[in-house]
Amino acid sequence: MMKNIYPLQFEPILKDRIWGGEKLKTVLNKPITSPTTGESWELSTVEGDVSVISNGVLKGKSLLELIDDIPNEILGTAVYKKFGKQFPLLFKYLDAREDLSIQVHPNDALAKERHNSFGKTEMWYIMQADTDARIIVGFKEKSNADEYVKNLENKSLLSILDDVKVKSGDVFFLETGTVHAIGAGLVVAEIQQTSDITYRIYDFDRVDANGNGRELHIDLALDAINYEKTDTYKQYDKVANQSNEVVDCPYFTTNFIPLEGDLLAKKTGETFTVYMCVEGSFEIECNGAQYSYKKGDTVLIPAAMSELVLSGKASILEIYIS
């Protein structure tokens, strides 16, 4: 195995948002400088927001540069064959001090046609939830474009949308077309396709310091919305020291690992793996070296790493492409 293949971490790309707060620092220890920091992009190749390696001999090199140099070793043989030199996923932590806007993401076909982009299938893992915190996901009952537009115009959209109370450890899987919003008082780990295409449809009539509302994309959203009632909540096992499947979709597989001690992880070389530490702390041992991680850390395991040992007491999300 090449010497410069090791577990990679990246500089967080911090995003100021009207709805953001300070929990990315207080809960996840991110180096925020603004009291309205809403997002930490952990692993990204979105244009203008490409992750830069923060550890080891490759420090300072961008993820795209590395993929360009050694695509099979980083992405994996199967991922490279399917996506070329594109990194197909985007990983974030979000802090919602206030409600996010109600929005929807287009599917692959619409996103390709309109924006030359991937669609945006995503999942949320709730890391921290204030009392009575909730999310908005989909419609209470099957709806249609006419009913939706009527309620939007009457400012009664919330009356037809599903409102779900959440707690730490809850997982929601949002296929494209699902109308959604993260509610106030939540810290969320988000895994999604590499896409920054969002259609904002309602923003609670908020305005900025100059009295301006944020741009809405009501017309674009109309034929992107799935008006069926959808089930987004994912139940999953939590068996210690093993990978418990949470989400398995065409875009990514996410497992939950309740680590209590040691776990040997063997890789096939077909796909990269990403670990997001959502609670506790752990170490990875590989090639005689040890690497330490804590809550809020995200690490990319290049596909060329065939065997590693995880040890510690932690809750870990394990993500790869199957």
Side-chain angles (χ1 to χ4, degrees), residues 91-93 123-127 169-172 187-192 236-238 242-247 252-259 263 267 273-279 282 284 294-301 310 314-320:
F91 299 83
K92 302 176 181 177
Y93 296 115
M123 67 159 275
W124 298 336
Y125 176 92
I126 308 297
M127 293 181 68
D170 283 352
V171 170
F172 295 86
V187 176
V188 176
E190 182 174 276
I191 298 148
Q192 57 167 92
Y236 59 98
D237 293 331
K238 298 178 182 178
Q242 75 175 42
S243 296
N244 300 275
E245 187 180 288
V246 184
V247 168
F252 56 84
T253 297
T254 300
N255 299 324
F256 180 75
I257 303 174
L259 186 66
L263 174 65
K267 310 295 181 183
T273 303
V274 171
Y275 293 123
M276 300 180 87
C277 184
V278 293
E279 194 60 62
F282 73 103
I284 289 176
K294 62 187 184 307
K295 182 177 180 176
D297 284 347
T298 302
V299 54
L300 171 64
I301 307 298
L310 282 61
S315 296
I316 303 166
L317 300 180
E318 175 187 50
I319 305 99
Y320 52 87

Side-chain angles (χ1 to χ4, degrees), residues 20 63 65 103 110 130 137 139 143 162 180 216 257 272 290:
L63 178 56
E65 287 178 278
Q103 53 192 238
L110 263 184
D130 292 353
V137 275
F139 292 92
S143 185
D162 208 7
H180 63 274
L216 299 179
I257 303 174
F272 62 86
Q290 278 198 327

Side-chain angles (χ1 to χ4, degrees), residues 14 24 53 91 105 109 118 157 159 161 181 184 190 289 300 313:
L14 302 171
L24 291 178
I53 298 166
F91 299 83
H105 305 302
F118 289 125
L157 182 60
S159 69
L161 297 178
E190 182 174 276
L300 171 64
K313 185 166 176 59

Side-chain angles (χ1 to χ4, degrees), residues 14 52 146 149 154 173 232 234 252 254 271 306:
L14 302 171
V52 173
D146 289 341
V149 169
N154 294 339
F173 176 61
T232 57
K234 302 296 284 189
F252 56 84
T254 300
T271 174
S306 57

